[in-house]
Amino acid sequence: MTYFARRLIPLAAFVLLACTAPAGAQAPACTDCHSDVAVHSPVHSKLACADCHTAVKADEDHAEAAKKEIASPGFCSTCHADVDLSHSVHKEVSCARCHGKAHDVVPVKDPRSPVAARNQIQTCAQCHPAASINAYRNSVHGRALFDAGLVSAPSCTTCHGSHDIVKASDPASRVSHAKAPATCGTCHTFILDDWQQSSHGKAWNHGQGNGKGPTCVTCHGSHGILHPQSAEARQQLPETCSQCHKGKYETYRDTFHGKSSELGFVAAADCSDCHTPHKNLPAADPQSSVNPANLRATCGRCHGDRVTASFVSFKPHLDPRSPNDSKPVHYVWLFMTLLLVGVFGFFGLHDALWLQRSVRGSLRGEFANLRKTEGPYVKRFSRNDSRMHVLVIVTFLLLAATGLPLHFHHAAWAQMLINLLGGVTTARFLHRLAAVGTFGYMIWHLLDVFYRAVIRKEKGLFWGWKSMVPRWKDVQDIWQNFLYFLYRRPKPEIDRWSYWEKFDYLAVFWGVVIIGFSGLMLWLPGLFTRFLPGWVLNAAAIIHGDEALLAVGFIVIFHFFHTHLRPESFPLDPVIFVGSMPLERFKEERPLEYQRLVEAGKLDERLVDPPTPEQLRNARVFGFIAVAIGILLVIGILIGVILY
């Protein structure tokens, strides 16, 4: 036996004895029992099991001890001593709840990590309300991260921190009133600089410690921050500002900017367009965008070179109810208010009495002759008159349908109607188109009167029985009609035109002039402020809105009643559309004109054939549609006045 063999045999015997020793003589490997456990964590791969499971002893059942040990909040601090959760709202939460199981933990910057920027939304959602999580996901921050893929976009920890998170109400919180500006400023550096110089920033700086002064969160919100130029954000901005500036908000909503903005016209100027988003300063400050010296530049961003010195003297926050803001505008508002109350008060009483008298007369059979359609008809209107009236109806209803939503912008029906019309831009085009039509028929009518009075030398157009100008008999007829309503006198004998028809005519004539020219001022403010002061635009807005309200209310409530809805002619009087009326009704309603025609021997010249069934059908279809639209608009007005 060689020397090498003599040495090798004892060594082999020793190894063999060691391998066949009893099981209790050595500690088993962890994988002998935990063969299903694998450590995939790149950060924990070099650790032995006992480095974490320090409480485990091989000679006892250690399952419960191991679970209890690794579930404790401070368990990981053995290695991660730099992480302090003692003041965090998460101090009772285990590390694994956020970072994942220890065997699978990956670096925070690894896209697979539960606390990586894109995964935090699911991780935090385990405990935090879904409303906040969903708001963040749809916010400008969430969209930047998930939709645009910008890894630099803010995630939960960007704003709230990681291991040092405390309640937002805690002054130490990164999103507290005291620290929110600095937190947002880590990304929005230049905006923070502007904000610190603004009235908001100065108010916040002076209010440190007492929670006063607006911060980024006050205006933008927290989790659901919208893109500031989005339609939703622009529409919400006035309400946001109203939390502190309620009075200014109300006056803003009274302007075209405010009304159209609420109806979805995103291009309309909001608070930030005039006052700037972050560097808003008092008007007295020379650097303010609304300082008188800077207004032409500010307004010029939208209105271009049409801005004049008078243009910028328009007051967007003027309260017409206060004489201190502008006495001329206040008196205009006062006059229009009294006019509305006076007209609606007088004709409301007039028509209420008329209605009860007509109902009782109908029950007594007093109006039997008015219902007769047999026999000859009397020509009352020319074909041009009928066509003109159709044009008046179409343009009037179109003006009302496109203008009233702006006046009652706060009512739900206004938004529905403006959407039906195609939005504010389309409604504005239709409104102006109808305005052109209105000016058109007004000019045509004036030319017709001029031709008849000057060229044809027609008499009686401006005074007398066939004139639309009121005279003393109209006053007498009003008084006698009230007595008739009260069963004290017979009804007055009416000539070619009744006093209520003259009022209807003059209301349209007055309305076209007043509404038309005030509307032109609002349509072309740059032109009119070249020679008029800016407060005229404030006055024009009041006149245009109130006069339009008066026109729609009067025409639909009173004119429709006088013409179509009173029991004597209900449900529709087609005379204006077909141009003629039954002779028996003519004798009953226009006795003085009938008598004059008989005495002059001209009655036969006015007699015509009855309208054809087709003419009556067309008149009724068009008339019912017009009346229905008008009634719906008045219902909208009443809802806007009463409920809002």
Side-chain angles (χ1 to χ4, degrees):
M1 184 177 295
T2 64
Y3 175 81
F4 177 76
R6 288 195 301 270
R7 296 291 183 183
L8 182 60
I9 290 173
L11 178 61
F14 176 78
V15 170
L16 181 62
L17 288 173
C19 292
T20 57
Q26 68 169 1
C30 297
T31 54
D32 289 352
C33 297
H34 303 286
S35 59
D36 58 326
V37 175
V39 178
H40 301 293
S41 170
V43 295
H44 292 160
S45 59
K46 295 182 179 180
L47 296 178
C49 303
D51 289 336
C52 295
H53 299 281
T54 57
V56 173
K57 296 180 179 179
D59 58 350
E60 64 181 24
D61 184 1
H62 54 256
E64 292 302 319
K67 289 180 182 179
K68 183 176 181 181
E69 179 186 28
I70 62 176
S72 61
F75 175 74
C76 300
S77 60
T78 305
C79 297
H80 303 282
D82 57 323
V83 176
D84 182 12
L85 289 171
S86 60
H87 301 292
S88 171
V89 292
H90 295 153
K91 61 183 178 181
E92 300 298 328
V93 179
S94 69
C95 306
R97 190 68 180 270
C98 298
H99 293 275
K101 295 180 179 180
H103 297 153
D104 302 315
V105 172
V106 295
V108 171
K109 294 184 179 181
D110 190 311
R112 297 172 297 166
S113 171
V115 292
R118 288 178 61 90
N119 299 330
Q120 288 177 23
I121 190 171
Q122 288 87 14
T123 302
C124 298
Q126 298 176 83
C127 303
H128 294 280
S132 298
I133 301 298
N134 293 334
Y136 165 77
R137 176 60 183 86
N138 295 312
S139 72
V140 65
H141 291 159
R143 290 179 183 275
L145 180 60
F146 292 97
D147 298 342
L150 298 176
V151 294
S152 59
S155 60
C156 307
T157 55
T158 308
C159 301
H160 294 278
S162 52
H163 299 107
D164 57 345
I165 298 176
V166 294
K167 290 183 177 181
S169 57
D170 190 319
S173 170
R174 296 188 184 188
V175 294
S176 68
H177 182 270
K179 292 190 174 183
T183 298
C184 299
T186 56
C187 296
H188 305 285
T189 308
F190 299 116
I191 289 178
L192 177 63
D193 292 340
D194 283 344
W195 176 82
Q196 288 174 331
Q197 300 175 52
S198 73
S199 297
H200 290 166
K202 292 174 182 177
W204 169 83
N205 190 46
H206 293 156
Q208 284 285 16
N210 56 19
K212 293 184 178 180
T215 65
C216 316
V217 177
T218 310
C219 301
H220 294 279
S222 52
H223 297 99
I225 298 174
L226 301 171
H227 191 290
Q229 294 303 317
S230 67
E232 187 178 358
R234 288 184 62 82
Q235 285 189 273
Q236 290 180 4
L237 182 60
E239 280 73 22
T240 300
C241 298
S242 72
Q243 298 174 50
C244 302
H245 307 284
K246 185 171 180 57
K248 297 296 184 183
Y249 167 78
E250 292 173 351
T251 53
Y252 166 77
R253 279 301 186 206
D254 287 338
T255 65
F256 173 78
H257 291 160
K259 294 174 181 179
S260 60
S261 170
E262 189 164 14
L263 291 175
F265 188 46
V266 181
D270 61 19
C271 313
S272 63
D273 290 317
C274 300
H275 297 276
T276 75
H278 299 102
K279 201 173 181 178
N280 38 73
L281 295 164
D285 191 311
Q287 296 185 39
S288 171
S289 58
V290 293
N291 181 274
N294 302 325
L295 276 175
R296 294 187 71 170
T298 299
C299 300
R301 288 200 294 267
C302 295
H303 296 279
D305 56 4
R306 294 170 293 173
V307 177
T308 63
S310 292
F311 183 100
V312 298
S313 66
F314 165 79
K315 296 183 178 180
H317 291 293
L318 184 144
D319 182 358
R321 296 166 296 183
S322 172
N324 297 326
D325 284 3
S326 172
K327 287 186 178 180
V329 176
H330 172 70
Y331 291 136
V332 168
W333 171 82
L334 192 60
F335 170 77
M336 293 304 301
T337 301
L338 292 175
L339 182 64
L340 280 165
V341 173
V343 171
F344 282 113
F346 174 80
F347 277 99
L349 175 63
H350 177 276
D351 287 11
L353 292 174
W354 192 348
L355 177 61
Q356 61 83 28
R357 181 66 181 84
S358 294
V359 170
R360 189 166 183 181
S362 295
L363 295 175
R364 290 175 172 178
E366 296 178 8
F367 312 126
N369 288 338
L370 300 179
R371 295 288 184 180
K372 294 181 179 179
T373 58
E374 302 83 6
Y377 273 59
V378 178
K379 188 69 176 177
R380 182 155 171 76
F381 299 106
S382 68
R383 182 171 295 181
N384 282 338
D385 291 334
S386 298
R387 290 171 177 170
M388 181 70 73
H389 202 73
V390 169
L391 178 60
V392 171
I393 292 171
V394 171
T395 55
F396 173 80
L397 291 177
L398 187 56
L399 285 169
T402 53
L404 285 175
L406 206 64
H407 195 86
F408 294 100
H409 55 95
H410 44 276
W413 65 263
Q415 186 66 68
M416 291 188 289
L417 180 54
I418 212 72
N419 291 341
L420 182 65
L421 292 169
V424 173
T425 301
T426 304
R428 183 170 61 173
F429 170 77
L430 294 174
H431 194 78
R432 292 173 175 176
L433 181 65
V436 171
T438 301
F439 279 117
Y441 73 67
M442 183 66 171
I443 293 171
W444 175 265
H445 176 65
L446 291 175
L447 290 174
D448 180 62
V449 172
F450 176 82
Y451 174 77
R452 291 167 62 187
V454 177
I455 307 300
R456 291 175 50 185
K457 307 293 183 182
E458 188 174 333
K459 304 297 182 183
L461 289 177
F462 303 106
W463 192 254
W465 62 271
K466 67 177 181 179
S467 172
M468 295 300 291
V469 178
R471 52 186 179 145
W472 179 246
K473 185 184 184 310
D474 296 311
V475 178
Q476 294 174 319
D477 288 349
I478 292 174
W479 177 248
Q480 187 171 338
N481 227 3
F482 270 103
L483 294 176
Y484 165 71
F485 298 155
L486 298 173
Y487 310 94
R488 302 293 298 277
R489 294 275 296 275
K491 62 182 178 181
E493 293 187 333
I494 302 301
D495 211 324
R496 177 158 179 76
W497 305 113
S498 64
Y499 65 84
W500 62 84
E501 290 170 334
K502 290 182 179 182
F503 195 95
D504 291 348
Y505 170 82
L506 292 175
V508 173
F509 200 96
W510 156 277
V512 170
V513 174
I514 299 302
I515 300 178
F517 280 99
S518 61
L520 278 177
M521 291 179 185
L522 300 176
W523 187 354
L524 304 168
L527 172 63
F528 284 91
T529 51
R530 290 184 184 277
F531 53 89
L532 293 173
W535 64 261
V536 171
L537 298 179
N538 293 99
I542 295 170
I543 293 171
H544 195 72
D546 286 357
E547 182 62 28
L549 187 62
L550 176 62
V552 175
F554 181 86
I555 294 297
V556 176
I557 297 175
F558 303 125
H559 173 66
F560 280 12
F561 174 78
H562 300 158
T563 308
H564 305 294
L565 303 180
R566 57 191 172 100
E568 297 96 312
S569 54
F570 184 84
L572 184 78
D573 182 359
V575 60
I576 187 62
F577 304 116
V578 298
S580 59
M581 63 190 301
L583 177 59
E584 291 301 318
R585 180 182 170 192
F586 179 70
K587 288 161 50 174
E588 182 78 20
E589 289 190 346
R590 317 281 167 174
L592 294 182
E593 185 181 10
Y594 171 76
Q595 182 180 350
R596 183 178 295 103
L597 289 172
V598 171
E599 292 174 352
K602 295 183 178 181
L603 179 60
D604 290 343
E605 298 176 9
R606 295 274 296 277
L607 296 180
V608 295
D609 293 331
T612 65
E614 183 181 5
Q615 288 176 317
L616 287 174
R617 183 180 65 250
N618 292 340
R620 286 172 180 146
V621 170
F622 179 80
F624 283 137
I625 291 174
V627 170
I629 292 174
I631 291 174
L632 288 174
L633 290 173
V634 166
I635 292 174
I637 290 174
L638 294 175
I639 291 173
V641 171
I642 296 172
L643 298 185
Y644 296 91

